[in-house]
Amino acid sequence: MDATLDYAPRTADKNWRNQFENLIIPLSILINQVVLVVTLSLSINILDLDERGGLFALIGGITGVDVGNFGNLGAAVQNFTGLLLLTPVLMSIYGSVRLYFRKQDGRYFSLLLHFASFAVCVVVLLQLWGVFLSFESVVDGIMEMPWVLLGIPLAYVLFWIAGKFSPVSQLRAVLEYVALGMAGLTFIGFVIFSDLLSSTTLIRLSQNFGVWLAIAGLLAFGIIGFGLLRMGDAFGETPDQRVAWQGWLMLSPNIIGFTLFFAGPLLLSFYLSFTVSRVGQTPVFTGLDNYRNITALEFAWYDPQAAAQPNKLAFAYGGLQEQFVWVADESVRRYRVNTVGYNVLARWDILDRTLYIGARDRQFWRSMGNTITFCLMLVPLATIPAVGMSILLNSKMPGMKFFRAVYFLPSVAAVVGTATIWRWLYQPQGFYNYFLAEITGFFNSVLGTNYADPQILWLNDPGVVLFSIVLLAAWQVVGFNTVLFLAGLQGIPRPLYEAATVDGAGRWKQFWYITLPMLRPTTFFVLTTTIITGLQVFNEPYTLFPARPIPENAVTSVYYIWITGFTRLELGFGYASAVAWLLFALIFLVTLGQFRVQGSGQYD
Amino acid sequence: MYESEMTRKLKFYVVRFLLYAALIGFGLIMLFPFIYMVASSLKTSDDVTSYPPRILPRSPERTEFEGEDRVLYRVEVDGEERLMVVTDEQAPRLGFFAEPQDLNADDPRSTPIELTVEFDTGIEDGTLIDLEQEVVVESRTGRERSFDLYDVEIDGEFRTLALAFRTRGNIFVDPEDPTVTAVGSVLRAQRVEFVELQLGNYNAVLELDMDRALVNTTFVTILVVAGQVITSIFGGYAFSRIPFRGRNALFLMYLGSYMVPFVVLIIPMYRLMVAIGWQGRIVSLIVPWVFTVYGTFLLRQFFMSIPREIEEAALLDGAGRFRILWGIFVPLSKPALAALTIFSFLYAWNSFLWPLIIIGEGNVDNHVLTLSLIRLNNAAATEPNLALTGAAIAILPPIFIFILAQKYFIEGIATSGLKG
């Protein structure tokens, strides 16, 4: 009854709406066909099926997709994208047919298409307008008038002050409007700097056919899509369904970002790892070659008698005998298998013979070894002090919050910055050596011993460089771990300790039988995060050693990926991707270990 | 069995003292590099590399002599300490002699010196005899360096010493009494110094294109933080409060992506940016990074803790989901939003690997602070004070933000256990 009453005064309005709704469905089907034609022609164009002619190619050509090299990504990616573009084609056919028969799923498919097309139109418009590449001009403007940036903190301060007044006070509302205006003015300042609203830009835009097309698409998909969205009742939309599309809508930015900047690149990375891909060249699929080249190892026994004779085989190992050719005379630096060089990775003396291990990519194994050694040293240094300090911080003494903040400071600083500081502390004449000299001197004078001043060459001694990185990384991460342990400690129920005290357990026993077992989940979590961040260390070696190449013992896995991908052009992106996937496999194993230990219920 | 009141109190204070000592000691370890950074950023470049190293920034005392501004040195003349300046006059060569076991092959100039002799006069009048022998010392890097051995006369007796290094000497003169002169080397003379802060370092560094890097970083950070907060609010709400088919599978996938290390993505992301023409542009530092698994997860966890009753009441009143989100959830989630803002801020402000790859060390105009700092650091062999000033500019803003919003920050970590 109430409903009719509510609607009664708006009959005229409703008639208009009805007519509009009657129009919506055919219009919706129509723009579905537009999507169909555009995506199909794009797809055909990208798949290069029609020798670059015909109607579809013409329509596809308007969008300016350069199929010639396809961003230098290669035929496989090109075909994949082309096939992917058939999904909207199929959705459009299915959605249109179902929508014609007024089925709910037809409406949802059409809505999805409208929404996606709307988003594409927005992006195209922003791109043609030059919004994405206008940030530099904004910065230029700010450089000339830096005070514009003050608008943001000022607006924030005004909001903050407004928050101090009572919600009904007039002053609060005024202050909030002023703050909003301030933020808006700053934004307008940015837009003016960006040159996006200048007459030249607007004139240039108005002469661009693509801009008008994008605006038309924006309006069509926006209005018709919105109309279709509001027609839920006509299709018998249940509240659950309504809530569901709202959920998808809210998630859409994340889903788009996830697809474009995570899932897509992840797939591409996986594909690239099976190719040879260099700067300016399209990738060539080579199967498992990259992985084989990276990991290939050869084992060989060194035969001193054969080595004594010049130009004779010095290595013999099963069927590989013929393959090893003696190259160097005495130092055994290199030997060859056919044409691919192997480098000596390690050698072991076993009884009176020597086993040589050769690696095709010695640097990869070295970097992996360095990374794992790094983690093995980092874990105790970054966790054991953290446990100790968190126990101290958990005491009820005054000032603990202050110390907690102090310990946490290194974690908020940029690694590049802290590494710069440590680089100068690590100098032969720097503070750390000075402290060591003073400490040695102090002990010598107290104990009457005569230990030499250690004079460590932190950044030059090949045996020390990795440890220098570990110290820096441990210093930076230990405060973070302390806070995690502290949270773990505070989560232990008090009654456990009270019961233990009643039972007569001493402090040490309480620590051993209550604290440590209760900290187990935190400990595993801390260990895993420490190991995972440790496996990805890059900034520290990059900053500590400005001279390139950096010492071999400081080359970590990620650093090696960077070298192969971005500095050694002969190896290129494919090779680097394969190394990255090997590192990922290692990290995945660590994470899996954590899940197995901890169970899976931790996220609810 | 019973302890006296005195011993108990004493024990209490001793334990307290030890605990605080440990806390302060550890705190000093954590703080020292920052203290060093700030102090060095206020020093002259010579002062940073002086040995023994010092914390307080000092400048050499100067005085005017013969119409020029000159540095004052502390020189001992006939057992009396005087403040002297170096003249422009040529002085004889000086030989610095040391016991052979004291020789420092890495840096001969820091060898503890036994005796300083005017080299050429010594050879002439026979107080210095070249033995034509060498002592070979191995440096720490494994290189060998040889030093010549000499017999040197000290108070009528000859001792065998090694020549650590030789250098052109300087003639010192007392500006107040120009008749008093002395021969020595500025390398080993002690300067007269006073504490002075070189605030100009900050200006100098900003003029080395760091001002632009600062604006770039601020700009990128603001946009990334705003973007991350907005996408996370929507994502977190949908994942926590809106039931729909496939939500949990989607969430698991989303969370699983957190396991993938960034290095796996850098190469395809780089190719993608090249393909769409964003390489080397500031936009590549912003748009791909406004989506965050971490933030979505953090807000989802927080939204889940908000009682359902509040939302249901609003729904009954006919409020739409978007109204509920902005009107109820966002105001209630201030601590979580604050934590997320700080995490995003740190993430954007401190990021390095991606800017390094996509902007590159050469493209100075689009540098962010971390890249700019690397540039300073590479050029800093002679000016460590500027590199450390750059580090201070990059590090101090996050530290201030952290101090202001410490509470939210640490709680954010404690509840989520994750870092941005």
Side-chain angles (χ1 to χ4, degrees), chain A residues 136-152:
Chain A
E136 280 86 356
S137 326
V138 179
V139 175
D140 286 337
I142 297 174
M143 290 299 293
E144 275 170 38
M145 286 185 264
W147 46 266
V148 173
L149 272 185
L150 279 179
I152 295 162

Side-chain angles (χ1 to χ4, degrees), chain B residues 331-362:
Chain B
L332 280 177
S333 311
K334 271 193 185 142
L337 287 174
L340 173 59
T341 307
I342 302 159
F343 281 124
S344 305
F345 170 85
L346 290 183
Y347 171 80
W349 189 275
N350 291 344
S351 72
F352 172 61
L353 179 54
W354 177 247
L356 172 70
I357 283 161
I358 206 69
I359 303 288
E361 281 193 39

Side-chain angles (χ1 to χ4, degrees), chain A residues 66-110:
Chain A
D66 184 6
V67 186
N69 65 3
F70 204 73
N72 249 333
L73 289 172
V77 182
Q78 186 176 337
N79 292 338
F80 180 77
T81 317
L83 288 175
L84 209 63
L85 274 173
L86 291 178
T87 329
V89 172
L90 296 176
M91 274 167 58
S92 168
I93 296 170
Y94 181 79
S96 304
V97 172
R98 296 289 287 176
L99 188 62
Y100 182 76
F101 291 111
R102 303 240 166 181
K103 298 290 185 206
Q104 185 69 286
D105 58 347
R107 174 169 165 261
Y108 287 135
F109 271 110
S110 305

